[in-house]
Amino acid sequence: MSLGGSELLAGLMLAELLTLGGLAYALARLGRARRAARRAAELGDGAVMLVEDGRIRDASDAAAALLAPQGGLAGRPVRPLLEGFLEGSRDGALAAYDRLEARGEGFELIVRDRAGRPYALLGEPRGGLLRLVLRDAGVIDAERTRTRSEASARDRSSAARESERDVLAGLIDAAPVAAWRRAADGTVSWSAGRVPTPQRTIEAAEAAALAAARQSSKGEAKSGRFRLEVGAGEGTGDGAGEGARPGALEAIEVPAPGGGHYGLAVDGSGALEAERRLARFVRTMTETFAHLHVGLAIFDQNQRLALFNPALLDMWQIDPVWLAQRPSLREILDRLRANRRVPEAADFRAWRRRLTDLFEDIEAADYEELWHLADGSDIRVLARPHPHGSLAFVFEDVTERLKLEQQFRHSIDLRRATLNRLEEGLAVFGPDGLVQFVNAAFHDIWGTDEETVRPLMHVRELIEPIGGLTVETEVWTRLIGFITGADSRQPWGARLTLGTGRILGARFAGLPDGSTMAVFGDVTDSERIATALRQRNEALEAAEEMRGAMLDQISHRLRTPLHTVFGFGQLLVDARFGALNDTQRGYAEQILDSARQLLGAVDDVTELASLEIEPLVRDGAEPSLGDTLLLTGRLLEKRAAEAGVTLRVELPDTEMPPACEPGRLRQIVFGLATAAMTNCREDGELALGARAGAGGTVEVQVAVTALEPVPGAGPAAQCPGLTFIRRLAAQSGGEIELRPAEDGERMVALCRFPLAAGTAPAGPAEAGG
């Protein structure tokens, strides 16, 4: 079926329309694809944000996940997002963003988020928008850090090399040193510095030339130290000019990289002069050592004998001609062994090698040994090194000294053994307060041992264990001061009471060397005996007082009726109450005579009993007259107090020994004082004293207030009972005189003795009383 023209045209138009529609659709899709591609290109390079007027217009998914995982980024202001995301370099990043926004300046920074992760932040204008990109910069940051570290290290190394170069250049210019570098053919490629010597100043180039000339003369280039001789030349330094000694440089060369040598030189004139002085010194020492009593042998670095003195010949017993040939130490030791002048060694070769090895190790060459020889002599050998490899041996004969030391040690051991045998504990402290010695008795007394009390411990440490055992504590404080010298060094003693009841007597004394000796003895038994004696003496004194009281009662009871009988008999004889016939007068006189006899017998018995009661004289004692008066007063103190009598003792100003045996003198003085006490009135006074008498005599005076003084009565009536005392005084060459005092109330008894032979008589004093 054929179509009409209109239908064909309509079909063609429809086809064209369809074609145009498809083309338009295709073009639309192509545009969208191109825009998607452009957006993917814009937003696909990391976390990308497109910013317009400070707000995010578009952002990649990575940016949304990084900056706003909880919501989208579109329309949000970009600056608060950056402030909340960034941590390190935040201010710099915000300032760069502000410049991008204001002036369109792009930037690229390394920033860190709040977790410290590094990011690369890029900003650039893109049309009317701003494009911000955040990329992970971990690798970049690490590489940048490494690069910076390497650059810093290179900078420091370069600065150090420059500093070292400057320091070395400055040192070489300032120091008296010359430095150079020589090529393998001897050509000097570099030199610096100069060396001032006493002759003249040597420049580095000249020193290098001298080193090269030395190499040419030796025929080979060797590294190491060497000496360069320099002449005086024409310099202006000290010592320059005619007659000046040539100087020297001490130089050293070491191999340089690439061939040749580095060289360094300093002034060696001092060392050269020192060697000359050393040679002179050796000559002087040789002459000096010839007069020494110790043997001296000096070996050089080749172990050969360089110097010896005559004293060595006597010890070694070797031909001096052979020694003058400078034998080696090994040869000398072999010769000495043949002459039996070295000690016998189990391995002689090892012993000899120990001596010869001293040359190899200078630091260890400090040898000292005592050689016991076959003839009984002892040689002390010392070896001392020399810096240049020499070795000096000193041989000293110490045979006599060792014998003396042995005798001294034996003496010390003997003394220690002797001190350990003592029953008294002994301790010796040094001037510094350290324990020097304690004996066995010390440990026994204090209960210590050698671990508790060890040598060289301080006295304070010693007092800690033993000071608490005694009741007295002030003794130990005084002892510390005495040992350390703070107190007087006069010997002193003390009494120590232990907690166990034992009593120790302690004596402390200083020794000549400043040490202190302490001696402790157990005096418990002696103290008990002394206590018993004191108690016995007190008992005897009490018995004496009782017996004295009894004698006083007996004397009073007998004398009172006798005085009555005597008084009435006198009245009868005086005929006051009438005259008596002859028979009556005879009877009365017989009564008076019997009364007198009975009164004399009572006095004698009382006095004898008193003298038997009081043993005043101690065997071997020789008291002075003053001591006798004091002792008599002390014995009568209690009796005087009980009787109400004031007792006074007046000692003589000077010593006046009477010619009387001391014990007899004490008996006489005590008898006079006892008789006076018996006849003393209550509330009266008894005075004992002594004075120089006329004709070279001494008078012992006893003045007492009489009981009932009778005017005109004779002395015998006032002081009866002195017959026995008179006899004792007469047997000793003395006499007793009784007289009333001038006041009429006191009676004075004077016992007069001649002065002892060899005593100058004193001027007579006036009679007291």
Side-chain angles (χ1 to χ4, degrees):
M1 170 176 199
S2 60
L3 296 175
S6 58
E7 293 178 351
L8 178 62
L9 180 61
L12 290 172
M13 292 178 63
L14 180 61
E16 183 178 358
L17 289 174
L18 291 174
T19 302
L20 291 174
L23 179 61
Y25 177 75
L27 290 174
R29 291 191 59 185
L30 180 60
R32 287 195 299 273
R34 287 179 177 176
R35 287 193 299 272
R38 282 198 304 269
R39 184 176 182 275
E42 292 287 340
L43 303 178
D45 187 14
V48 181
M49 295 171 288
L50 296 178
V51 180
E52 182 179 10
D53 296 332
R55 293 182 177 274
I56 299 175
R57 179 177 178 182
D58 197 1
S60 66
D61 296 339
L66 186 63
L67 297 176
Q70 303 298 328
L73 290 176
R76 298 181 63 176
V78 68
R79 187 180 180 89
L81 288 175
L82 292 177
E83 290 179 352
F85 176 75
L86 299 179
E87 176 63 26
S89 305
R90 180 177 62 183
D91 295 339
L94 294 177
Y97 170 75
D98 292 339
R99 288 194 298 271
L100 173 63
E101 189 176 32
R103 298 192 293 270
E105 296 180 3
F107 64 87
E108 183 176 358
L109 302 174
I110 298 297
V111 295
R112 295 183 182 275
D113 64 359
R114 293 190 175 277
R117 292 185 295 269
Y119 288 89
L121 175 62
L122 285 81
E124 58 182 355
R126 182 62 58 87
L129 303 177
L130 300 180
R131 183 172 181 266
L132 298 179
V133 182
L134 284 171
R135 298 193 186 100
D136 187 2
V139 176
I140 298 175
D141 185 64
E143 183 65 21
R144 187 179 65 168
T145 302
R146 184 184 64 80
T147 303
R148 287 179 177 176
S149 177
E150 291 178 353
S152 177
R154 286 194 299 272
D155 292 342
R156 288 195 300 269
S157 177
S158 177
R161 285 196 296 270
E162 291 180 1
S163 177
E164 290 176 0
R165 184 173 63 252
D166 294 340
V167 170
L168 290 176
L171 289 176
I172 291 175
D173 289 338
V177 64
W180 63 86
R181 177 172 182 173
R182 292 193 300 110
D185 58 357
T187 304
V188 178
S189 60
W190 174 83
S191 63
R194 60 191 58 81
V195 180
T197 66
Q199 292 74 23
R200 60 191 179 89
T201 299
I202 309 298
E203 297 293 336
E206 183 181 356
L210 291 174
R214 173 184 175 275
Q215 174 187 345
S216 301
S217 63
K218 297 293 183 179
E220 57 180 348
K222 289 185 177 180
S223 303
R225 297 180 58 179
F226 52 89
R227 177 174 294 172
L228 298 175
E229 299 288 340
V230 296
E234 299 179 355
T236 59
D238 296 339
E242 285 188 35
R245 291 183 176 179
L249 295 180
E250 293 291 336
I252 185 173
E253 285 191 337
V254 296
H261 289 82
Y262 291 130
L264 194 69
V266 295
D267 183 19
S269 302
L272 186 62
E273 181 64 23
E275 290 181 358
R276 297 192 186 102
R277 292 180 180 178
L278 180 60
R280 292 195 301 270
F281 174 74
V282 169
R283 290 195 298 270
T284 303
M285 293 297 288
T286 303
E287 297 173 358
T288 303
F289 292 152
H291 304 287
L292 293 179
H293 296 289
V294 296
L296 178 66
I298 299 179
F299 295 85
D300 58 17
Q301 59 268 32
N302 297 321
Q303 301 188 15
R304 290 198 168 273
L305 184 62
L307 177 67
F308 65 93
N309 66 340
L312 192 65
L313 301 175
D314 298 334
M315 294 184 188
W316 281 0
Q317 299 178 5
I318 296 180
D319 184 10
V321 178
W322 183 76
L323 289 178
Q325 299 174 5
R326 300 188 63 204
S328 66
L329 177 60
R330 181 189 183 95
E331 294 171 344
I332 292 175
L333 293 176
D334 292 338
R335 180 68 65 91
L336 290 176
R337 185 191 185 195
N339 295 341
R340 303 190 68 186
R341 301 304 298 170
V342 294
E344 296 293 337
D347 189 348
F348 175 74
R349 292 183 178 179
W351 179 81
R352 181 182 60 190
R353 185 167 54 253
R354 185 159 63 93
L355 289 178
T356 56
D357 287 347
L358 296 176
F359 291 90
E360 304 298 331
D361 189 1
I362 297 299
E363 298 296 332
D366 194 1
Y367 170 82
E368 181 174 354
E369 189 177 6
L370 186 63
W371 290 4
H372 300 285
L373 305 184
D375 60 353
S377 59
D378 297 292
I379 306 297
R380 181 169 173 259
V381 184
L382 297 174
R384 293 295 181 266
H386 189 274
H388 293 297
S390 302
L391 202 62
F393 284 89
V394 178
F395 299 85
E396 181 183 4
D397 191 343
V398 294
T399 306
E400 295 300 327
R401 189 175 71 182
L402 290 181
K403 288 182 180 179
L404 292 176
E405 290 179 357
Q406 185 178 5
Q407 293 175 1
F408 181 70
R409 286 195 296 269
H410 176 71
S411 175
I412 292 178
D413 293 340
L414 180 61
R415 292 178 184 178
R416 286 181 178 271
T418 303
L419 293 177
N420 280 325
R421 295 287 184 180
L422 295 177
E423 295 182 357
E424 294 181 316
L426 178 67
V428 179
F429 305 92
D432 51 1
L434 301 182
V435 177
Q436 302 295 328
F437 172 78
V438 292
N439 65 350
F442 182 92
H443 296 305
D444 296 338
I445 290 175
W446 294 105
T448 58
D449 52 28
E450 294 182 356
E451 294 183 359
T452 307
V453 181
R454 59 190 182 280
L456 300 182
M457 70 181 300
H458 198 268
V459 61
R460 298 180 185 275
E461 300 179 50
L462 174 62
I463 289 177
E464 288 182 3
I466 68 175
L469 302 178
T470 63
V471 177
E472 299 80 5
T473 58
E474 67 280 357
V475 175
W476 305 114
T477 304
R478 183 181 176 186
L479 175 60
I480 293 175
F482 184 76
I483 292 175
T484 56
D487 295 341
S488 172
R489 297 289 291 173
Q490 294 296 327
W492 58 286
R495 180 176 178 273
L496 300 174
T497 305
L498 301 183
T500 59
R502 296 168 58 199
I503 301 174
L504 300 180
R507 300 190 304 276
F508 309 99
L511 299 179
D513 63 345
S515 302
T516 303
M517 179 177 65
V519 181
F520 303 91
D522 191 341
V523 295
T524 305
D525 296 338
S526 301
E527 288 290 331
R528 289 175 180 172
I529 294 174
T531 302
L533 290 176
R534 285 195 298 271
Q535 293 175 353
R536 180 176 178 274
N537 185 48
E538 293 174 358
L540 290 176
E541 289 182 358
E544 178 214 348
E545 292 176 1
M546 294 175 61
R547 186 170 296 184
M550 183 183 66
L551 289 175
D552 291 343
Q553 292 294 327
I554 292 175
S555 175
H556 178 70
R557 291 183 181 182
L558 289 177
R559 285 174 178 168
T560 299
L562 283 176
H563 285 153
T564 302
V565 173
F566 192 76
F568 282 111
Q570 285 184 333
L571 290 176
L572 292 175
V573 172
D574 291 342
R576 294 184 180 184
F577 300 100
L580 299 178
N581 56 29
D582 294 339
T583 302
Q584 291 174 336
R585 181 177 296 277
Y587 289 156
E589 290 179 352
Q590 289 181 3
I591 291 172
L592 291 176
D593 186 56
S594 299
R596 290 191 187 95
Q597 293 178 7
L598 182 59
L599 183 60
V602 170
D603 291 341
D604 291 342
V605 170
T606 304
E607 191 63 33
L608 181 62
S610 299
L611 292 176
E612 290 176 352
I613 291 172
E614 187 65 40
L616 296 177
V617 182
R618 191 171 55 189
D619 293 339
E622 294 184 2
S624 63
L625 179 58
D627 294 336
T628 300
L629 294 175
L630 285 176
L631 180 60
T632 302
R634 225 174 6 251
L635 293 175
L636 293 177
E637 281 179 357
K638 187 174 182 180
R639 186 181 301 180
E642 293 176 352
V645 175
T646 301
L647 180 62
R648 181 164 50 88
V649 179
E650 300 175 353
L651 299 179
D653 296 333
T654 59
E655 190 64 27
M656 298 177 294
C660 179
E661 193 270 329
R664 184 62 58 85
L665 176 64
R666 295 180 68 177
Q667 287 181 322
I668 294 172
V669 174
F670 183 79
L672 282 176
T674 304
M677 180 72 71
T678 303
N679 289 274
C680 185
R681 190 179 65 218
E682 187 176 1
D683 299 329
E685 181 183 81
L686 175 63
L688 297 176
R691 67 179 184 177
T697 61
V698 58
E699 296 178 350
V700 178
Q701 175 179 289
V702 180
V704 63
T705 304
L707 263 175
E708 297 178 358
V710 180
Q718 298 296 90
C719 293
L722 297 178
T723 304
F724 187 74
I725 301 300
R726 288 180 185 273
R727 278 201 296 269
L728 288 179
Q731 291 175 2
S732 301
E735 59 179 354
I736 294 179
E737 177 187 353
L738 300 177
R739 61 179 177 82
E742 295 178 356
D743 55 10
E745 295 185 357
R746 289 190 300 162
M747 183 171 57
V748 179
L750 293 178
C751 183
R752 189 178 296 107
F753 290 96
L755 285 171
T759 305
E766 298 198 11

